[in-house]
Amino acid sequence: MSSPATASSPCLDFNRSLHLIANLTKTAAEQEVENLSGLSTNPEKDIFVVRENGTSCLMAELAARFIVPYDVWASNYVDLITEQADIPLPRGAEAAGKCGASEAELHISWLDRAYTLRLYFLQEAHNSSRGQEARWKMSKVQFLYDSSERTHFKDAVNPGKHTAGTHHLSALVTPAGKSYECQAQQTITLISSDHQKSVALLLSAVRIQPFDISADFVFSEEHKCPVDQREQLEETLPLILCLILGLIIVITLCVYHIHHKMTASQAQIPRDRSQYKHMG
């Protein structure tokens, strides 16, 4: 006869099953990421969509590459010199994602996980001149790389796995409910565990939204980065100046026409000398 401590009731087994199913569903939802790079006409751009419960919760389009310094032996095999590995983010990379109300993540790996890019996002309240406003930002970046991988690291001294990351990052700041867009190239500096070397992350053609996506596979209204806004102003400024100049010319011609018409309508000086009776 089983003791009460070891007895297993049907209700308890059912609750355990539900808990297990919930955990499996949650795990599957966190890893439901689609790589849609084939939809982009830009051969350097990757497109990732994280989906939970059948709808998009994080979307990211970007072209990325890394400039990673590493040591090699000089020709005398005594001194060390620094080379730079140029590592692009290839299309078709593996990805995993995680969504939340205030925190989200996107992890991208390639070349048998020799390289992994991790992007962390945070949504928070912010005090501004208009009061408290909600916004999101990219709060952390990590880049894991293996300098023993020979595609990009040639003859590296003491090759091994390293992690480069940011400290107190506040990038891509965007009002809540909007997507971030920036076509211009941006540079984010990462500090590596490899003798504190500086790794450069170069981002371009970026469109990201980690929160509050209202429609599946559809970005919300874009929030352009300051560089794009300035470039857009520089493009439209000559057109504005031409319109102003054209308006000034039209106004000048109208004034001249009105003045000429008023002058012509005035009484003309008589040409018959007999009308000047006061002259001898």
Side-chain angles (χ1 to χ4, degrees), residues 38-73:
L39 299 179
S40 174
T41 56
N42 184 345
E44 299 180 350
K45 182 189 287 188
D46 257 319
I47 305 176
F48 301 98
V49 178
V50 182
R51 305 180 79 238
E52 288 186 358
N53 301 321
T55 187
S56 305
C57 61
L58 186 155
M59 296 174 61
E61 296 184 16
L62 70 159
R65 48 193 284 260
F66 300 85
I67 306 299
V68 183
Y70 66 100
D71 294 331
V72 299
W73 289 115

PDB file of all heavy atoms in Angstrom, residues 38-73:
ATOM      1  N   GLY A  38      16.112  36.316 -47.872  1.00  0.00           N
ATOM      2  CA  GLY A  38      15.844  36.169 -49.303  1.00  0.00           C
ATOM      3  C   GLY A  38      14.869  37.184 -49.852  1.00  0.00           C
ATOM      4  O   GLY A  38      14.792  37.391 -51.064  1.00  0.00           O
ATOM      5  N   LEU A  39      14.127  37.856 -48.968  1.00  0.00           N
ATOM      6  CA  LEU A  39      13.178  38.866 -49.419  1.00  0.00           C
ATOM      7  C   LEU A  39      13.836  40.208 -49.680  1.00  0.00           C
ATOM      8  O   LEU A  39      13.203  41.104 -50.229  1.00  0.00           O
ATOM      9  CB  LEU A  39      12.066  39.037 -48.373  1.00  0.00           C
ATOM     10  CG  LEU A  39      11.223  37.799 -48.074  1.00  0.00           C
ATOM     11  CD1 LEU A  39      10.183  38.115 -47.005  1.00  0.00           C
ATOM     12  CD2 LEU A  39      10.534  37.292 -49.332  1.00  0.00           C
ATOM     13  N   SER A  40      15.088  40.353 -49.272  1.00  0.00           N
ATOM     14  CA  SER A  40      15.787  41.630 -49.436  1.00  0.00           C
ATOM     15  C   SER A  40      16.571  41.646 -50.738  1.00  0.00           C
ATOM     16  O   SER A  40      17.207  40.662 -51.111  1.00  0.00           O
ATOM     17  CB  SER A  40      16.728  41.867 -48.255  1.00  0.00           C
ATOM     18  OG  SER A  40      17.517  43.021 -48.465  1.00  0.00           O
ATOM     19  N   THR A  41      16.546  42.781 -51.422  1.00  0.00           N
ATOM     20  CA  THR A  41      17.344  42.965 -52.638  1.00  0.00           C
ATOM     21  C   THR A  41      18.779  43.352 -52.310  1.00  0.00           C
ATOM     22  O   THR A  41      19.634  43.360 -53.189  1.00  0.00           O
ATOM     23  CB  THR A  41      16.726  44.045 -53.526  1.00  0.00           C
ATOM     24  OG1 THR A  41      16.607  45.268 -52.764  1.00  0.00           O
ATOM     25  CG2 THR A  41      15.344  43.635 -54.004  1.00  0.00           C
ATOM     26  N   ASN A  42      19.032  43.678 -51.042  1.00  0.00           N
ATOM     27  CA  ASN A  42      20.381  44.018 -50.599  1.00  0.00           C
ATOM     28  C   ASN A  42      21.103  42.736 -50.184  1.00  0.00           C
ATOM     29  O   ASN A  42      20.714  42.085 -49.213  1.00  0.00           O
ATOM     30  CB  ASN A  42      20.316  44.996 -49.416  1.00  0.00           C
ATOM     31  CG  ASN A  42      21.692  45.464 -48.968  1.00  0.00           C
ATOM     32  OD1 ASN A  42      22.715  44.888 -49.319  1.00  0.00           O
ATOM     33  ND2 ASN A  42      21.716  46.525 -48.179  1.00  0.00           N
ATOM     34  N   PRO A  43      22.146  42.321 -50.911  1.00  0.00           N
ATOM     35  CA  PRO A  43      22.811  41.047 -50.599  1.00  0.00           C
ATOM     36  C   PRO A  43      23.533  41.047 -49.262  1.00  0.00           C
ATOM     37  O   PRO A  43      23.957  39.991 -48.792  1.00  0.00           O
ATOM     38  CB  PRO A  43      23.809  40.885 -51.755  1.00  0.00           C
ATOM     39  CG  PRO A  43      24.068  42.269 -52.231  1.00  0.00           C
ATOM     40  CD  PRO A  43      22.790  43.010 -52.044  1.00  0.00           C
ATOM     41  N   GLU A  44      23.685  42.204 -48.637  1.00  0.00           N
ATOM     42  CA  GLU A  44      24.370  42.280 -47.348  1.00  0.00           C
ATOM     43  C   GLU A  44      23.398  42.380 -46.181  1.00  0.00           C
ATOM     44  O   GLU A  44      23.833  42.399 -45.028  1.00  0.00           O
ATOM     45  CB  GLU A  44      25.307  43.501 -47.335  1.00  0.00           C
ATOM     46  CG  GLU A  44      26.403  43.443 -48.400  1.00  0.00           C
ATOM     47  CD  GLU A  44      27.296  44.660 -48.365  1.00  0.00           C
ATOM     48  OE1 GLU A  44      26.940  45.622 -47.655  1.00  0.00           O
ATOM     49  OE2 GLU A  44      28.343  44.653 -49.043  1.00  0.00           O
ATOM     50  N   LYS A  45      22.112  42.434 -46.480  1.00  0.00           N
ATOM     51  CA  LYS A  45      21.141  42.649 -45.401  1.00  0.00           C
ATOM     52  C   LYS A  45      20.511  41.340 -44.952  1.00  0.00           C
ATOM     53  O   LYS A  45      20.163  40.483 -45.763  1.00  0.00           O
ATOM     54  CB  LYS A  45      20.035  43.599 -45.860  1.00  0.00           C
ATOM     55  CG  LYS A  45      18.998  43.907 -44.760  1.00  0.00           C
ATOM     56  CD  LYS A  45      17.801  44.666 -45.292  1.00  0.00           C
ATOM     57  CE  LYS A  45      18.139  46.087 -45.588  1.00  0.00           C
ATOM     58  NZ  LYS A  45      16.922  46.871 -45.932  1.00  0.00           N
ATOM     59  N   ASP A  46      20.370  41.202 -43.633  1.00  0.00           N
ATOM     60  CA  ASP A  46      19.648  40.089 -43.032  1.00  0.00           C
ATOM     61  C   ASP A  46      18.313  40.596 -42.495  1.00  0.00           C
ATOM     62  O   ASP A  46      18.203  41.740 -42.031  1.00  0.00           O
ATOM     63  CB  ASP A  46      20.454  39.475 -41.879  1.00  0.00           C
ATOM     64  CG  ASP A  46      21.134  38.175 -42.288  1.00  0.00           C
ATOM     65  OD1 ASP A  46      20.480  37.391 -43.002  1.00  0.00           O
ATOM     66  OD2 ASP A  46      22.280  37.943 -41.902  1.00  0.00           O
ATOM     67  N   ILE A  47      17.307  39.738 -42.547  1.00  0.00           N
ATOM     68  CA  ILE A  47      15.980  40.072 -42.024  1.00  0.00           C
ATOM     69  C   ILE A  47      15.544  38.966 -41.073  1.00  0.00           C
ATOM     70  O   ILE A  47      15.485  37.797 -41.471  1.00  0.00           O
ATOM     71  CB  ILE A  47      14.941  40.225 -43.158  1.00  0.00           C
ATOM     72  CG1 ILE A  47      15.413  41.261 -44.186  1.00  0.00           C
ATOM     73  CG2 ILE A  47      13.587  40.627 -42.584  1.00  0.00           C
ATOM     74  CD1 ILE A  47      14.491  41.387 -45.386  1.00  0.00           C
ATOM     75  N   PHE A  48      15.258  39.332 -39.829  1.00  0.00           N
ATOM     76  CA  PHE A  48      14.853  38.348 -38.825  1.00  0.00           C
ATOM     77  C   PHE A  48      13.518  38.756 -38.211  1.00  0.00           C
ATOM     78  O   PHE A  48      13.278  39.938 -37.951  1.00  0.00           O
ATOM     79  CB  PHE A  48      15.898  38.248 -37.709  1.00  0.00           C
ATOM     80  CG  PHE A  48      17.259  37.864 -38.189  1.00  0.00           C
ATOM     81  CD1 PHE A  48      18.232  38.823 -38.405  1.00  0.00           C
ATOM     82  CD2 PHE A  48      17.569  36.537 -38.448  1.00  0.00           C
ATOM     83  CE1 PHE A  48      19.495  38.471 -38.858  1.00  0.00           C
ATOM     84  CE2 PHE A  48      18.835  36.169 -38.902  1.00  0.00           C
ATOM     85  CZ  PHE A  48      19.785  37.143 -39.109  1.00  0.00           C
ATOM     86  N   VAL A  49      12.669  37.770 -37.997  1.00  0.00           N
ATOM     87  CA  VAL A  49      11.368  37.998 -37.359  1.00  0.00           C
ATOM     88  C   VAL A  49      11.195  36.972 -36.249  1.00  0.00           C
ATOM     89  O   VAL A  49      11.245  35.763 -36.498  1.00  0.00           O
ATOM     90  CB  VAL A  49      10.210  37.876 -38.370  1.00  0.00           C
ATOM     91  CG1 VAL A  49       8.866  38.072 -37.658  1.00  0.00           C
ATOM     92  CG2 VAL A  49      10.368  38.900 -39.494  1.00  0.00           C
ATOM     93  N   VAL A  50      11.011  37.456 -35.032  1.00  0.00           N
ATOM     94  CA  VAL A  50      10.715  36.599 -33.894  1.00  0.00           C
ATOM     95  C   VAL A  50       9.200  36.590 -33.714  1.00  0.00           C
ATOM     96  O   VAL A  50       8.569  37.649 -33.693  1.00  0.00           O
ATOM     97  CB  VAL A  50      11.390  37.119 -32.607  1.00  0.00           C
ATOM     98  CG1 VAL A  50      11.112  36.173 -31.441  1.00  0.00           C
ATOM     99  CG2 VAL A  50      12.886  37.268 -32.825  1.00  0.00           C
ATOM    100  N   ARG A  51       8.627  35.390 -33.611  1.00  0.00           N
ATOM    101  CA  ARG A  51       7.179  35.269 -33.514  1.00  0.00           C
ATOM    102  C   ARG A  51       6.809  34.470 -32.270  1.00  0.00           C
ATOM    103  O   ARG A  51       7.428  33.461 -31.957  1.00  0.00           O
ATOM    104  CB  ARG A  51       6.595  34.615 -34.767  1.00  0.00           C
ATOM    105  CG  ARG A  51       6.983  35.347 -36.042  1.00  0.00           C
ATOM    106  CD  ARG A  51       6.404  34.700 -37.272  1.00  0.00           C
ATOM    107  NE  ARG A  51       5.013  35.051 -37.449  1.00  0.00           N
ATOM    108  CZ  ARG A  51       4.004  34.184 -37.519  1.00  0.00           C
ATOM    109  NH1 ARG A  51       4.248  32.891 -37.373  1.00  0.00           N
ATOM    110  NH2 ARG A  51       2.773  34.580 -37.693  1.00  0.00           N
ATOM    111  N   GLU A  52       5.808  34.954 -31.572  1.00  0.00           N
ATOM    112  CA  GLU A  52       5.237  34.262 -30.424  1.00  0.00           C
ATOM    113  C   GLU A  52       3.724  34.232 -30.555  1.00  0.00           C
ATOM    114  O   GLU A  52       3.112  35.225 -30.975  1.00  0.00           O
ATOM    115  CB  GLU A  52       5.626  34.947 -29.113  1.00  0.00           C
ATOM    116  CG  GLU A  52       7.077  34.743 -28.730  1.00  0.00           C
ATOM    117  CD  GLU A  52       7.409  35.319 -27.356  1.00  0.00           C
ATOM    118  OE1 GLU A  52       6.510  35.911 -26.724  1.00  0.00           O
ATOM    119  OE2 GLU A  52       8.557  35.169 -26.939  1.00  0.00           O
ATOM    120  N   ASN A  53       3.138  33.087 -30.231  1.00  0.00           N
ATOM    121  CA  ASN A  53       1.683  32.925 -30.323  1.00  0.00           C
ATOM    122  C   ASN A  53       1.160  33.268 -31.711  1.00  0.00           C
ATOM    123  O   ASN A  53       0.081  33.852 -31.872  1.00  0.00           O
ATOM    124  CB  ASN A  53       0.982  33.784 -29.260  1.00  0.00           C
ATOM    125  CG  ASN A  53       1.420  33.422 -27.852  1.00  0.00           C
ATOM    126  OD1 ASN A  53       1.603  32.249 -27.530  1.00  0.00           O
ATOM    127  ND2 ASN A  53       1.604  34.432 -27.011  1.00  0.00           N
ATOM    128  N   GLY A  54       1.943  32.933 -32.726  1.00  0.00           N
ATOM    129  CA  GLY A  54       1.489  33.122 -34.097  1.00  0.00           C
ATOM    130  C   GLY A  54       1.549  34.526 -34.627  1.00  0.00           C
ATOM    131  O   GLY A  54       0.981  34.818 -35.681  1.00  0.00           O
ATOM    132  N   THR A  55       2.254  35.439 -33.942  1.00  0.00           N
ATOM    133  CA  THR A  55       2.341  36.806 -34.441  1.00  0.00           C
ATOM    134  C   THR A  55       3.734  37.363 -34.168  1.00  0.00           C
ATOM    135  O   THR A  55       4.459  36.884 -33.283  1.00  0.00           O
ATOM    136  CB  THR A  55       1.283  37.724 -33.793  1.00  0.00           C
ATOM    137  OG1 THR A  55       1.297  39.002 -34.437  1.00  0.00           O
ATOM    138  CG2 THR A  55       1.555  37.918 -32.308  1.00  0.00           C
ATOM    139  N   SER A  56       4.131  38.368 -34.923  1.00  0.00           N
ATOM    140  CA  SER A  56       5.465  38.948 -34.796  1.00  0.00           C
ATOM    141  C   SER A  56       5.570  39.759 -33.508  1.00  0.00           C
ATOM    142  O   SER A  56       4.688  40.553 -33.189  1.00  0.00           O
ATOM    143  CB  SER A  56       5.772  39.860 -35.990  1.00  0.00           C
ATOM    144  OG  SER A  56       5.612  39.161 -37.211  1.00  0.00           O
ATOM    145  N   CYS A  57       6.676  39.557 -32.782  1.00  0.00           N
ATOM    146  CA  CYS A  57       6.909  40.350 -31.571  1.00  0.00           C
ATOM    147  C   CYS A  57       8.246  41.092 -31.639  1.00  0.00           C
ATOM    148  O   CYS A  57       8.493  41.989 -30.829  1.00  0.00           O
ATOM    149  CB  CYS A  57       6.840  39.473 -30.324  1.00  0.00           C
ATOM    150  SG  CYS A  57       8.071  38.151 -30.280  1.00  0.00           S
ATOM    151  N   LEU A  58       9.126  40.729 -32.586  1.00  0.00           N
ATOM    152  CA  LEU A  58      10.388  41.440 -32.789  1.00  0.00           C
ATOM    153  C   LEU A  58      10.763  41.296 -34.257  1.00  0.00           C
ATOM    154  O   LEU A  58      10.732  40.188 -34.802  1.00  0.00           O
ATOM    155  CB  LEU A  58      11.485  40.873 -31.897  1.00  0.00           C
ATOM    156  CG  LEU A  58      12.843  41.586 -31.863  1.00  0.00           C
ATOM    157  CD1 LEU A  58      13.564  41.306 -30.548  1.00  0.00           C
ATOM    158  CD2 LEU A  58      13.749  41.188 -33.031  1.00  0.00           C
ATOM    159  N   MET A  59      11.115  42.402 -34.887  1.00  0.00           N
ATOM    160  CA  MET A  59      11.534  42.383 -36.281  1.00  0.00           C
ATOM    161  C   MET A  59      12.812  43.202 -36.426  1.00  0.00           C
ATOM    162  O   MET A  59      12.951  44.266 -35.817  1.00  0.00           O
ATOM    163  CB  MET A  59      10.431  42.962 -37.185  1.00  0.00           C
ATOM    164  CG  MET A  59       9.144  42.149 -37.186  1.00  0.00           C
ATOM    165  SD  MET A  59       7.809  42.945 -38.133  1.00  0.00           S
ATOM    166  CE  MET A  59       8.547  43.015 -39.767  1.00  0.00           C
ATOM    167  N   ALA A  60      13.730  42.675 -37.224  1.00  0.00           N
ATOM    168  CA  ALA A  60      15.013  43.362 -37.410  1.00  0.00           C
ATOM    169  C   ALA A  60      15.512  43.162 -38.829  1.00  0.00           C
ATOM    170  O   ALA A  60      15.589  42.035 -39.314  1.00  0.00           O
ATOM    171  CB  ALA A  60      16.042  42.849 -36.409  1.00  0.00           C
ATOM    172  N   GLU A  61      15.829  44.263 -39.492  1.00  0.00           N
ATOM    173  CA  GLU A  61      16.500  44.251 -40.792  1.00  0.00           C
ATOM    174  C   GLU A  61      17.797  45.023 -40.617  1.00  0.00           C
ATOM    175  O   GLU A  61      17.801  46.143 -40.117  1.00  0.00           O
ATOM    176  CB  GLU A  61      15.647  44.931 -41.868  1.00  0.00           C
ATOM    177  CG  GLU A  61      14.332  44.253 -42.171  1.00  0.00           C
ATOM    178  CD  GLU A  61      13.606  44.941 -43.313  1.00  0.00           C
ATOM    179  OE1 GLU A  61      14.254  45.730 -44.043  1.00  0.00           O
ATOM    180  OE2 GLU A  61      12.403  44.715 -43.468  1.00  0.00           O
ATOM    181  N   LEU A  62      18.916  44.451 -41.025  1.00  0.00           N
ATOM    182  CA  LEU A  62      20.179  45.148 -40.863  1.00  0.00           C
ATOM    183  C   LEU A  62      21.280  44.519 -41.690  1.00  0.00           C
ATOM    184  O   LEU A  62      21.232  43.335 -42.013  1.00  0.00           O
ATOM    185  CB  LEU A  62      20.610  45.154 -39.389  1.00  0.00           C
ATOM    186  CG  LEU A  62      21.061  43.826 -38.764  1.00  0.00           C
ATOM    187  CD1 LEU A  62      21.901  44.075 -37.525  1.00  0.00           C
ATOM    188  CD2 LEU A  62      19.869  42.960 -38.392  1.00  0.00           C
ATOM    189  N   ALA A  63      22.250  45.355 -42.039  1.00  0.00           N
ATOM    190  CA  ALA A  63      23.508  44.894 -42.604  1.00  0.00           C
ATOM    191  C   ALA A  63      24.567  45.190 -41.550  1.00  0.00           C
ATOM    192  O   ALA A  63      24.632  46.299 -41.018  1.00  0.00           O
ATOM    193  CB  ALA A  63      23.818  45.619 -43.903  1.00  0.00           C
ATOM    194  N   ALA A  64      25.380  44.185 -41.219  1.00  0.00           N
ATOM    195  CA  ALA A  64      26.355  44.348 -40.141  1.00  0.00           C
ATOM    196  C   ALA A  64      27.683  43.712 -40.513  1.00  0.00           C
ATOM    197  O   ALA A  64      27.733  42.715 -41.234  1.00  0.00           O
ATOM    198  CB  ALA A  64      25.818  43.734 -38.850  1.00  0.00           C
ATOM    199  N   ARG A  65      28.742  44.305 -40.014  1.00  0.00           N
ATOM    200  CA  ARG A  65      30.072  43.726 -40.138  1.00  0.00           C
ATOM    201  C   ARG A  65      30.900  44.166 -38.941  1.00  0.00           C
ATOM    202  O   ARG A  65      30.610  45.183 -38.300  1.00  0.00           O
ATOM    203  CB  ARG A  65      30.758  44.118 -41.455  1.00  0.00           C
ATOM    204  CG  ARG A  65      30.715  45.563 -41.800  1.00  0.00           C
ATOM    205  CD  ARG A  65      31.123  45.803 -43.246  1.00  0.00           C
ATOM    206  NE  ARG A  65      32.563  45.695 -43.418  1.00  0.00           N
ATOM    207  CZ  ARG A  65      33.345  46.768 -43.487  1.00  0.00           C
ATOM    208  NH1 ARG A  65      32.829  47.989 -43.399  1.00  0.00           N
ATOM    209  NH2 ARG A  65      34.637  46.631 -43.652  1.00  0.00           N
ATOM    210  N   PHE A  66      31.942  43.389 -38.668  1.00  0.00           N
ATOM    211  CA  PHE A  66      32.781  43.631 -37.500  1.00  0.00           C
ATOM    212  C   PHE A  66      34.230  43.821 -37.946  1.00  0.00           C
ATOM    213  O   PHE A  66      34.720  43.097 -38.815  1.00  0.00           O
ATOM    214  CB  PHE A  66      32.710  42.448 -36.532  1.00  0.00           C
ATOM    215  CG  PHE A  66      31.327  42.163 -36.006  1.00  0.00           C
ATOM    216  CD1 PHE A  66      30.453  41.373 -36.735  1.00  0.00           C
ATOM    217  CD2 PHE A  66      30.909  42.692 -34.801  1.00  0.00           C
ATOM    218  CE1 PHE A  66      29.179  41.104 -36.270  1.00  0.00           C
ATOM    219  CE2 PHE A  66      29.632  42.431 -34.319  1.00  0.00           C
ATOM    220  CZ  PHE A  66      28.768  41.636 -35.056  1.00  0.00           C
ATOM    221  N   ILE A  67      34.893  44.782 -37.345  1.00  0.00           N
ATOM    222  CA  ILE A  67      36.322  44.982 -37.544  1.00  0.00           C
ATOM    223  C   ILE A  67      36.992  44.569 -36.237  1.00  0.00           C
ATOM    224  O   ILE A  67      36.852  45.243 -35.212  1.00  0.00           O
ATOM    225  CB  ILE A  67      36.661  46.438 -37.888  1.00  0.00           C
ATOM    226  CG1 ILE A  67      35.826  46.903 -39.097  1.00  0.00           C
ATOM    227  CG2 ILE A  67      38.144  46.579 -38.160  1.00  0.00           C
ATOM    228  CD1 ILE A  67      36.069  46.111 -40.358  1.00  0.00           C
ATOM    229  N   VAL A  68      37.701  43.425 -36.284  1.00  0.00           N
ATOM    230  CA  VAL A  68      38.258  42.823 -35.065  1.00  0.00           C
ATOM    231  C   VAL A  68      39.780  42.798 -35.156  1.00  0.00           C
ATOM    232  O   VAL A  68      40.352  42.122 -36.018  1.00  0.00           O
ATOM    233  CB  VAL A  68      37.723  41.384 -34.876  1.00  0.00           C
ATOM    234  CG1 VAL A  68      38.246  40.803 -33.562  1.00  0.00           C
ATOM    235  CG2 VAL A  68      36.200  41.369 -34.895  1.00  0.00           C
ATOM    236  N   PRO A  69      40.484  43.493 -34.259  1.00  0.00           N
ATOM    237  CA  PRO A  69      41.951  43.432 -34.252  1.00  0.00           C
ATOM    238  C   PRO A  69      42.445  42.151 -33.576  1.00  0.00           C
ATOM    239  O   PRO A  69      41.833  41.661 -32.630  1.00  0.00           O
ATOM    240  CB  PRO A  69      42.355  44.675 -33.443  1.00  0.00           C
ATOM    241  CG  PRO A  69      41.186  44.922 -32.544  1.00  0.00           C
ATOM    242  CD  PRO A  69      39.965  44.453 -33.279  1.00  0.00           C
ATOM    243  N   TYR A  70      43.542  41.629 -34.079  1.00  0.00           N
ATOM    244  CA  TYR A  70      44.140  40.439 -33.466  1.00  0.00           C
ATOM    245  C   TYR A  70      45.643  40.441 -33.739  1.00  0.00           C
ATOM    246  O   TYR A  70      46.124  41.109 -34.656  1.00  0.00           O
ATOM    247  CB  TYR A  70      43.490  39.160 -33.996  1.00  0.00           C
ATOM    248  CG  TYR A  70      43.723  38.866 -35.452  1.00  0.00           C
ATOM    249  CD1 TYR A  70      44.685  37.941 -35.853  1.00  0.00           C
ATOM    250  CD2 TYR A  70      42.989  39.504 -36.450  1.00  0.00           C
ATOM    251  CE1 TYR A  70      44.915  37.655 -37.190  1.00  0.00           C
ATOM    252  CE2 TYR A  70      43.208  39.233 -37.793  1.00  0.00           C
ATOM    253  CZ  TYR A  70      44.169  38.318 -38.153  1.00  0.00           C
ATOM    254  OH  TYR A  70      44.399  38.046 -39.484  1.00  0.00           O
ATOM    255  N   ASP A  71      46.378  39.694 -32.927  1.00  0.00           N
ATOM    256  CA  ASP A  71      47.838  39.696 -33.003  1.00  0.00           C
ATOM    257  C   ASP A  71      48.356  38.578 -33.908  1.00  0.00           C
ATOM    258  O   ASP A  71      47.831  37.450 -33.890  1.00  0.00           O
ATOM    259  CB  ASP A  71      48.443  39.508 -31.609  1.00  0.00           C
ATOM    260  CG  ASP A  71      48.155  40.687 -30.685  1.00  0.00           C
ATOM    261  OD1 ASP A  71      48.017  41.810 -31.206  1.00  0.00           O
ATOM    262  OD2 ASP A  71      48.059  40.484 -29.460  1.00  0.00           O
ATOM    263  N   VAL A  72      49.399  38.907 -34.667  1.00  0.00           N
ATOM    264  CA  VAL A  72      50.130  37.913 -35.463  1.00  0.00           C
ATOM    265  C   VAL A  72      51.621  38.181 -35.271  1.00  0.00           C
ATOM    266  O   VAL A  72      52.032  39.267 -34.850  1.00  0.00           O
ATOM    267  CB  VAL A  72      49.765  37.994 -36.966  1.00  0.00           C
ATOM    268  CG1 VAL A  72      48.291  37.725 -37.184  1.00  0.00           C
ATOM    269  CG2 VAL A  72      50.147  39.358 -37.538  1.00  0.00           C
ATOM    270  N   TRP A  73      52.437  37.173 -35.577  1.00  0.00           N
ATOM    271  CA  TRP A  73      53.879  37.355 -35.473  1.00  0.00           C
ATOM    272  C   TRP A  73      54.395  38.211 -36.626  1.00  0.00           C
ATOM    273  O   TRP A  73      53.939  38.103 -37.762  1.00  0.00           O
ATOM    274  CB  TRP A  73      54.592  36.003 -35.495  1.00  0.00           C
ATOM    275  CG  TRP A  73      54.417  35.179 -34.261  1.00  0.00           C
ATOM    276  CD1 TRP A  73      53.780  33.983 -34.159  1.00  0.00           C
ATOM    277  CD2 TRP A  73      54.891  35.489 -32.948  1.00  0.00           C
ATOM    278  NE1 TRP A  73      53.811  33.510 -32.872  1.00  0.00           N
ATOM    279  CE2 TRP A  73      54.494  34.429 -32.097  1.00  0.00           C
ATOM    280  CE3 TRP A  73      55.612  36.559 -32.395  1.00  0.00           C
ATOM    281  CZ2 TRP A  73      54.797  34.404 -30.745  1.00  0.00           C
ATOM    282  CZ3 TRP A  73      55.912  36.539 -31.044  1.00  0.00           C
ATOM    283  CH2 TRP A  73      55.511  35.472 -30.229  1.00  0.00           C
TER     284      TRP A  73
END
